[in-house]
PDB file of all heavy atoms in Angstrom:
ATOM      1  N   ALA P 343     -13.263  18.714  -3.640  1.00  0.00           N
ATOM      2  CA  ALA P 343     -12.241  17.771  -3.182  1.00  0.00           C
ATOM      3  C   ALA P 343     -12.793  16.355  -3.137  1.00  0.00           C
ATOM      4  O   ALA P 343     -13.989  16.142  -2.897  1.00  0.00           O
ATOM      5  CB  ALA P 343     -11.777  18.174  -1.783  1.00  0.00           C
ATOM      6  N   ASP P 374       3.565 -15.103  -8.716  1.00  0.00           N
ATOM      7  CA  ASP P 374       4.712 -15.736  -9.358  1.00  0.00           C
ATOM      8  C   ASP P 374       6.000 -15.354  -8.589  1.00  0.00           C
ATOM      9  O   ASP P 374       6.819 -16.226  -8.267  1.00  0.00           O
ATOM     10  CB  ASP P 374       4.760 -15.202 -10.807  1.00  0.00           C
ATOM     11  CG  ASP P 374       5.695 -15.989 -11.698  1.00  0.00           C
ATOM     12  OD1 ASP P 374       6.230 -17.008 -11.230  1.00  0.00           O
ATOM     13  OD2 ASP P 374       5.887 -15.556 -12.873  1.00  0.00           O
ATOM     14  N   GLU P 382      16.262  -9.929  -3.259  1.00  0.00           N
ATOM     15  CA  GLU P 382      17.281  -9.190  -4.034  1.00  0.00           C
ATOM     16  C   GLU P 382      16.924  -9.157  -5.515  1.00  0.00           C
ATOM     17  O   GLU P 382      17.160  -8.150  -6.189  1.00  0.00           O
ATOM     18  CB  GLU P 382      18.670  -9.828  -3.831  1.00  0.00           C
ATOM     19  CG  GLU P 382      19.343  -9.462  -2.504  1.00  0.00           C
ATOM     20  CD  GLU P 382      18.784 -10.206  -1.300  1.00  0.00           C
ATOM     21  OE1 GLU P 382      17.908 -11.089  -1.494  1.00  0.00           O
ATOM     22  OE2 GLU P 382      19.212  -9.950  -0.171  1.00  0.00           O
ATOM     23  N   ALA P 441      21.827  10.788   5.886  1.00  0.00           N
ATOM     24  CA  ALA P 441      22.146  11.767   4.847  1.00  0.00           C
ATOM     25  C   ALA P 441      23.309  12.660   5.275  1.00  0.00           C
ATOM     26  O   ALA P 441      24.108  13.085   4.433  1.00  0.00           O
ATOM     27  CB  ALA P 441      20.917  12.629   4.551  1.00  0.00           C
ATOM     28  N   ASP P 444      26.593  11.101   4.322  1.00  0.00           N
ATOM     29  CA  ASP P 444      26.772  10.626   2.949  1.00  0.00           C
ATOM     30  C   ASP P 444      27.243  11.814   2.093  1.00  0.00           C
ATOM     31  O   ASP P 444      26.480  12.756   1.855  1.00  0.00           O
ATOM     32  CB  ASP P 444      25.454  10.066   2.399  1.00  0.00           C
ATOM     33  CG  ASP P 444      25.642   9.411   1.050  1.00  0.00           C
ATOM     34  OD1 ASP P 444      26.629   9.760   0.345  1.00  0.00           O
ATOM     35  OD2 ASP P 444      24.812   8.563   0.675  1.00  0.00           O
ATOM     36  N   ASN P 455      22.162   8.796  -7.332  1.00  0.00           N
ATOM     37  CA  ASN P 455      20.886   8.407  -6.717  1.00  0.00           C
ATOM     38  C   ASN P 455      20.734   6.901  -6.616  1.00  0.00           C
ATOM     39  O   ASN P 455      20.223   6.377  -5.638  1.00  0.00           O
ATOM     40  CB  ASN P 455      19.705   9.040  -7.479  1.00  0.00           C
ATOM     41  CG  ASN P 455      19.491  10.475  -7.043  1.00  0.00           C
ATOM     42  OD1 ASN P 455      19.750  10.840  -5.892  1.00  0.00           O
ATOM     43  ND2 ASN P 455      19.060  11.330  -7.951  1.00  0.00           N
ATOM     44  N   GLY P 488      28.269 -11.863   2.453  1.00  0.00           N
ATOM     45  CA  GLY P 488      27.706 -12.963   1.655  1.00  0.00           C
ATOM     46  C   GLY P 488      26.269 -13.315   2.010  1.00  0.00           C
ATOM     47  O   GLY P 488      25.636 -14.109   1.321  1.00  0.00           O
ATOM     48  N   MET P 498      21.811 -10.123  12.504  1.00  0.00           N
ATOM     49  CA  MET P 498      22.194  -8.923  13.255  1.00  0.00           C
ATOM     50  C   MET P 498      21.235  -8.667  14.427  1.00  0.00           C
ATOM     51  O   MET P 498      21.612  -8.064  15.430  1.00  0.00           O
ATOM     52  CB  MET P 498      22.196  -7.686  12.333  1.00  0.00           C
ATOM     53  CG  MET P 498      23.320  -7.719  11.304  1.00  0.00           C
ATOM     54  SD  MET P 498      23.414  -6.167  10.366  1.00  0.00           S
ATOM     55  CE  MET P 498      21.970  -6.258   9.347  1.00  0.00           C
ATOM     56  N   ASN P 525       0.702   3.774  -2.979  1.00  0.00           N
ATOM     57  CA  ASN P 525       0.266   3.724  -1.576  1.00  0.00           C
ATOM     58  C   ASN P 525       0.707   5.013  -0.870  1.00  0.00           C
ATOM     59  O   ASN P 525       1.516   5.779  -1.393  1.00  0.00           O
ATOM     60  CB  ASN P 525       0.867   2.464  -0.910  1.00  0.00           C
ATOM     61  CG  ASN P 525       2.372   2.503  -0.940  1.00  0.00           C
ATOM     62  OD1 ASN P 525       3.006   2.987  -0.028  1.00  0.00           O
ATOM     63  ND2 ASN P 525       2.951   2.036  -2.032  1.00  0.00           N
ATOM     64  N   LEU P 556      -3.126   3.137   9.918  1.00  0.00           N
ATOM     65  CA  LEU P 556      -3.972   2.852   8.746  1.00  0.00           C
ATOM     66  C   LEU P 556      -3.125   2.338   7.592  1.00  0.00           C
ATOM     67  O   LEU P 556      -3.644   1.842   6.600  1.00  0.00           O
ATOM     68  CB  LEU P 556      -4.734   4.108   8.304  1.00  0.00           C
ATOM     69  CG  LEU P 556      -5.714   4.689   9.309  1.00  0.00           C
ATOM     70  CD1 LEU P 556      -6.526   5.809   8.657  1.00  0.00           C
ATOM     71  CD2 LEU P 556      -6.668   3.619   9.862  1.00  0.00           C
ATOM     72  N   ASN P 561       0.281  -3.803  11.025  1.00  0.00           N
ATOM     73  CA  ASN P 561       0.740  -5.165  11.372  1.00  0.00           C
ATOM     74  C   ASN P 561       0.996  -5.297  12.878  1.00  0.00           C
ATOM     75  O   ASN P 561       0.626  -6.293  13.499  1.00  0.00           O
ATOM     76  CB  ASN P 561       1.939  -5.622  10.520  1.00  0.00           C
ATOM     77  CG  ASN P 561       3.104  -4.641  10.515  1.00  0.00           C
ATOM     78  OD1 ASN P 561       3.172  -3.714  11.332  1.00  0.00           O
ATOM     79  ND2 ASN P 561       4.042  -4.850   9.601  1.00  0.00           N
ATOM     80  N   GLY P 593      -5.909  -4.740  10.077  1.00  0.00           N
ATOM     81  CA  GLY P 593      -5.566  -5.831   9.163  1.00  0.00           C
ATOM     82  C   GLY P 593      -6.690  -6.191   8.211  1.00  0.00           C
ATOM     83  O   GLY P 593      -6.578  -7.156   7.464  1.00  0.00           O
ATOM     84  N   ARG P 611      -0.660 -18.725   4.459  1.00  0.00           N
ATOM     85  CA  ARG P 611      -0.009 -20.039   4.331  1.00  0.00           C
ATOM     86  C   ARG P 611       1.282 -20.080   5.156  1.00  0.00           C
ATOM     87  O   ARG P 611       1.569 -21.054   5.848  1.00  0.00           O
ATOM     88  CB  ARG P 611       0.277 -20.311   2.853  1.00  0.00           C
ATOM     89  CG  ARG P 611       0.399 -21.794   2.532  1.00  0.00           C
ATOM     90  CD  ARG P 611       0.546 -22.064   1.041  1.00  0.00           C
ATOM     91  NE  ARG P 611      -0.400 -21.330   0.228  1.00  0.00           N
ATOM     92  CZ  ARG P 611      -0.076 -20.596  -0.846  1.00  0.00           C
ATOM     93  NH1 ARG P 611       1.175 -20.491  -1.224  1.00  0.00           N
ATOM     94  NH2 ARG P 611      -1.005 -19.983  -1.549  1.00  0.00           N
ATOM     95  N   ARG P 691       1.675  19.413  -6.898  1.00  0.00           N
ATOM     96  CA  ARG P 691       1.078  20.531  -6.156  1.00  0.00           C
ATOM     97  C   ARG P 691      -0.384  20.594  -6.523  1.00  0.00           C
ATOM     98  O   ARG P 691      -0.796  21.334  -7.431  1.00  0.00           O
ATOM     99  CB  ARG P 691       1.809  21.823  -6.542  1.00  0.00           C
ATOM    100  CG  ARG P 691       1.713  22.973  -5.583  1.00  0.00           C
ATOM    101  CD  ARG P 691       0.299  23.456  -5.413  1.00  0.00           C
ATOM    102  NE  ARG P 691       0.189  24.643  -4.584  1.00  0.00           N
ATOM    103  CZ  ARG P 691      -0.945  25.041  -4.083  1.00  0.00           C
ATOM    104  NH1 ARG P 691      -2.058  24.354  -4.285  1.00  0.00           N
ATOM    105  NH2 ARG P 691      -0.991  26.134  -3.357  1.00  0.00           N
TER     106      ARG P 691
END
Side-chain angles (χ1 to χ4, degrees):
D374 194 5
E382 282 76 4
D444 187 337
N455 279 328
M498 291 187 288
N525 60 91
L556 297 188
N561 53 14
R611 204 174 314 129
R691 202 297 185 195

